[in-house]
Amino acid sequence: QVQVVESGGGLVQAGGSLRLSCVASGSIFSIKMMAWHRQAPGKQRELVASITTTSITNYVDSVKGRFTISRDNAKNMLYLQMNSLKPEDTAVYYCYAAWGTSSLRGSWGQGTQVTVSS
């Protein structure tokens, strides 16, 4: 099993920055990919950014150039640096880990609220 816990959300003005953190525990060796998703009120959850074990990253178009996903394998940490925040970035942000050996499974964090005021 893999467990993930997020932290770092909050209230920020438009144009500001926040850094989200996620700590993974459990069967860390089996993690294949980690990602940040977000869900705004009344909208579906969407993938924001992902990073593989070889640090290949992927971003949704709306955050390219503003957000940076990174991981510190030694500390079992995942980060999302969010710059130039916009009101439309307001959402609950979730950490996600894809893990497994013989089959792939997923673990979600409880979510952290990010609110960007205009």
Side-chain angles (χ1 to χ4, degrees), residues 1-2 9 16-17 21 24-25 27 29 37 39 46-47 52-53 59 66 71 77 83 94-96 98 102 109 111-112:
Q1 295 280 344
V2 170
S17 298
S21 301
S25 61
S27 302
F29 65 92
H37 290 71
Q39 186 166 20
E46 67 169 349
L47 174 65
T52 68
T53 54
Y59 298 90
R66 300 188 298 122
R71 62 194 294 175
M77 295 293 296
N83 299 328
Y94 297 90
C95 178
Y96 174 81
S102 57
T112 186

Side-chain angles (χ1 to χ4, degrees), residues 21-82:
S21 301
C22 172
V23 58
S25 61
S27 302
I28 305 299
F29 65 92
S30 69
I31 293 177
K32 301 296 188 291
M33 179 274 289
M34 296 190 75
W36 291 98
H37 290 71
R38 67 185 178 187
Q39 186 166 20
K43 295 188 177 181
Q44 289 188 331
R45 190 174 297 190
E46 67 169 349
L47 174 65
V48 176
S50 63
I51 185 167
T52 68
T53 54
T54 54
S55 297
I56 296 173
T57 59
N58 183 57
Y59 298 90
V60 66
D61 286 346
S62 60
V63 307
K64 285 181 180 177
R66 300 188 298 122
F67 290 12
T68 302
I69 189 171
S70 61
R71 62 194 294 175
D72 184 335
N73 291 328
K75 297 181 180 179
N76 301 327
M77 295 293 296
L78 177 73
Y79 303 102
L80 185 67
Q81 179 66 45
M82 305 185 293

